[in-house]
Amino acid sequence: MSKTIQIFDTTLRDGEQSPGCSMNSSEKMIMARQLERLGVDLIEAGFAASSPGDFDSVSQIGHTLKGPRVMTLCRVLENDIKAGIDALKGSHKWGIHTFIGTSDLHLKYKLNMTRAEATEKAIKAVEMAAKDCDHVEFSAEDSTRSDPKFLVDIFSAVVKAGAKVLNVPDTVGYTTPQEMYNLIDMLKNEVYRGDEVTFSVHCHNDLGLAVANSLAAVRAGAGQVECTVNGIGERAGNASLEEVVMALHTRNNYYGIEAGINTGQIYPSSMLLTKLTGSMIQANKAIVGANAFAHEAGIHQDGVLKNSLTYEIMSPESVGVSKNQLVLGKHSGRAALADRIKELGFVIDDAKLKEVFKGFKALADKKKVVYDDDLELLIMGNDSKNQDRFELLNVNVTSGTDSLPTATVKLNIDGEAQTKKASFGDGPVDAALNTIKAITGSEAKVTAYIVKAISGGTDAQGVVSISIEDNGIKVTGRDSHTDIVIASAKAFVNALNRLELKKKNKEQGQLGGV
């Protein structure tokens, strides 16, 4: 009989720290509900002490969800622990995750304290959290560059103080699978009550080994893996949830360990996150990339047609990807739409179905065929526009071989309509973006511009991703439309709204993590 691993999802905390991936409270709640459908065991909803907005978001998620345990990250500071408790106390299931750096590098240069001082602070933080919470997790930041003997000492001390979970973060993605296996194996045998507490790992991907290191830890006896959807996170990101889960699922005969994840919700979760953050994934991304189940080589195509197992170790359906991309048209009714939405793995209420159906009909009038990806964009739409400072009302562009591209844009700024005429550019998209910049007064520079057709044909919806930078703050906006100029304008406005949010968060002060 297979053992079970706990999946601790930190998309909303560590994942959100990835440049351009910040989410507001409404977007976090949308993603949290999807993570609940996905079946994760724990959700790290944010850093409650970092800002009033994050506090409210953590509290809302904690008091709304009934399935996963909702966690918040806290430094080993009294104010942080208090904020975390205040945000989550009274939730259905909740916990406090506190941390301190334990490597000599962090102790000397970041914390300016001794090992004894760090241990004392860790004990006090855990004791304080344990008075109000029965699930306290302690992380030794930069564990894989820490003295193993000190790790044993500080972990043993916090277990005695009330910690139930001990997290071993590979904070900078430095370790290797064999080293991680050896470390977990040693800690389980030498830490006080190591056979009773849960060991967890939180691996970063700086050397591309985050998933491999996480799986090695599981083999050594770790009972929890901390990961993110699409592997987003600081620098090169975190261990990818979908890769960890599907590795355990597909190679169950090897690992003998299962994760209680609804794998059919993996692809919808991945697509929702790209919509909310504007951060696209590469086509060859394992499990959820556009090419993950694509076959172009003739030999491969022939083999798959005869038996899919010849070149596919898992089925597209197992992760929520539909084989049939041609779905519905303008003559399709609400019942057919609802059935297809259910097949795609989404759960929506009647009010949302009515909204999606209206958008579906409008799109179907413009296209001959509405594809699965089109439906997903309609379902996942931006539910947080009411919190945005800028709203695109309309955009008109004139362009041709013998004319200078000119754009007229109308925006709402803080609820008031603004119009700017006669801005020019090197092309229609450049003209539209220049006009928006002129209206908003933004000096942000476009650092990346990506266009992707989400379905075949010249009538396809175009998904535009625009990355911008202003005074060192980087964000990415994303939106879609059958008109690529309109999609670009919407994506740029989306990026500007994210920039406004990021600036507010920066004013509150930036806090790190494990």
Side-chain angles (χ1 to χ4, degrees), residues 47-49 55 58-59 63 70-74 77-89 91 94-97:
F47 206 143
F55 179 95
V58 169
S59 183
H63 287 82
V70 178
M71 307 286 291
T72 183
L73 187 68
C74 308
L77 302 175
E78 183 177 342
N79 287 341
D80 277 32
I81 303 296
K82 185 179 184 302
I85 292 172
D86 289 345
L88 288 173
K89 195 170 185 178
S91 298
W94 61 287
I96 296 294
H97 179 194

Side-chain angles (χ1 to χ4, degrees), residues 342-361:
K342 184 177 180 181
E343 286 183 22
L344 288 172
F346 291 96
V347 179
I348 63 175
D349 57 25
D350 290 340
K352 182 67 174 178
L353 176 61
K354 183 177 180 180
E355 176 189 334
V356 172
F357 184 68
K358 182 179 179 181
F360 160 71
K361 281 295 188 180

